[in-house]
Amino acid sequence: MTSIKDKKVITIGIVHEMTGLSERKIRYYEERGLVFPDRTPRGTRKYSFSDIELLMEIANKREEGVQTYEIKQDLNNKKKKEEYRDEMIRGQLNAQFNIRK
Amino acid sequence: MTSIKDKKVITIGIVHEMTGLSERKIRYYEERGLVFPDRTPRGTRKYSFSDIELLMEIANKREEGVQTYEIKQDLNNKKKKEEYRDEMIRGQLNAQFNIRK
DNA sequence: CGTGTAAGGAATTCTGACACG
DNA sequence: CGTGTAAGGAATTCTGACACG
């Protein structure tokens, strides 16, 4: 589930380089609850490769005029759907397991 | 051949956090030709996940008392072997291809 | 709402050097 | 040879705020 892509190790300057987004925007999307970087002991933000992909998706949506709040809703829906699907699968596996007992 | 693990995006402070090596050591191993970080436009070093693995290997060797020069030789030998092997494989593939022509 | 920018401080990184062993 | 450390400067990052639309 968690791979190297989810390790939070990239500082905001590099994220800026990679995405082309201003640091202001990157911090703002965090403020609006769209991205969740880790922090070093002294507060420097650390992002993962997945975060960078996410930021680029956000940038695309923003270009289409989608507001941060809606983007957030979409992201949450996507997450909920995935969780629901995973739970269904788990349920099916358990059912199979119980039948064979 | 090159994956996400080879993207040079991690600053030296984070590398220090992840490996436990002092920044002095990390820079010294570069000076000795063991690691090759990229640089940002203004000179800040950037390392990859592969570099971090390599640094941990180096750290182990150093604990065993192996000198940086020998470590470098070992690394070069390993690289040469891999290149040789790859060339053999390519040669075999070409041979097969030519037979069928 | 989403972004830019100037502000001031704190933490980071860099290089070249001296020290010790 | 391999590392630590103090030195000084340059670049980075952070937060809170004001501006504009």
Side-chain angles (χ1 to χ4, degrees):
Chain A
M1 209 69 204
T2 30
S3 77
I4 208 172
K5 288 183 63 178
D6 298 305
K7 296 258 181 187
K8 309 235 175 192
V9 296
I10 310 175
T11 51
I12 198 166
I14 310 277
V15 174
H16 160 65
E17 267 183 41
M18 297 176 80
T19 61
L21 294 169
S22 69
E23 302 186 0
R24 180 68 165 96
K25 285 181 179 176
I26 300 170
R27 294 200 189 98
Y28 182 66
Y29 299 150
E30 172 182 7
E31 192 182 319
R32 301 309 310 257
L34 304 183
V35 210
F36 303 95
D38 275 2
R39 299 281 183 133
T40 64
R42 293 151 225 97
T44 299
R45 272 166 265 250
K46 297 184 296 183
Y47 299 84
S48 66
F49 283 100
S50 301
D51 288 334
I52 286 171
E53 288 178 7
L54 178 55
L55 282 167
M56 300 187 82
E57 281 184 49
I58 293 168
N60 287 333
K61 297 262 194 172
R62 284 295 302 130
E63 275 180 44
E64 293 168 20
V66 185
Q67 297 199 327
T68 57
Y69 181 74
E70 304 176 58
I71 299 176
K72 182 176 179 177
Q73 298 306 310
D74 288 354
L75 292 175
N76 284 338
N77 279 336
K78 200 187 285 184
K79 204 200 301 174
K80 269 186 199 158
K81 268 184 196 159
E82 283 167 10
E83 284 168 4
Y84 179 72
R85 183 202 60 196
D86 291 350
E87 205 154 317
M88 285 302 97
I89 290 171
R90 232 173 291 127
Q92 284 303 313
L93 285 174
N94 275 329
Q96 289 302 318
F97 184 73
N98 288 329
I99 285 167
R100 289 162 194 273
K101 269 203 307 197
Chain B
M1 209 73 202
T2 30
S3 75
I4 206 173
K5 287 184 64 177
D6 299 304
K7 295 259 180 186
K8 310 234 177 197
V9 296
I10 311 176
T11 51
I12 198 167
I14 310 276
V15 174
H16 159 66
E17 267 185 39
M18 296 176 82
T19 62
L21 293 170
S22 70
E23 299 183 4
R24 180 68 165 96
K25 286 182 179 176
I26 299 170
R27 294 201 189 97
Y28 182 67
Y29 299 149
E30 173 182 7
E31 191 181 319
R32 300 310 310 258
L34 304 184
V35 209
F36 304 95
D38 275 2
R39 300 280 184 134
T40 64
R42 293 148 227 97
T44 299
R45 272 167 266 251
K46 297 185 292 182
Y47 299 84
S48 67
F49 282 101
S50 301
D51 289 333
I52 286 172
E53 288 178 8
L54 177 55
L55 282 167
M56 300 189 82
E57 280 183 49
I58 294 169
N60 287 332
K61 298 260 194 176
R62 283 295 302 128
E63 276 181 41
E64 292 168 21
V66 185
Q67 297 196 329
T68 56
Y69 180 73
E70 305 175 57
I71 298 176
K72 183 178 178 176
Q73 298 306 309
D74 288 356
L75 292 175
N76 284 339
N77 279 334
K78 199 186 287 183
K79 206 200 300 174
K80 270 186 199 156
K81 270 186 196 158
E82 283 167 9
E83 283 167 5
Y84 179 73
R85 184 203 59 197
D86 290 349
E87 206 153 314
M88 286 300 99
I89 290 171
R90 234 173 288 130
Q92 284 303 313
L93 285 174
N94 276 330
Q96 289 300 319
F97 184 72
N98 288 329
I99 285 169
R100 287 162 195 272
K101 266 203 305 199

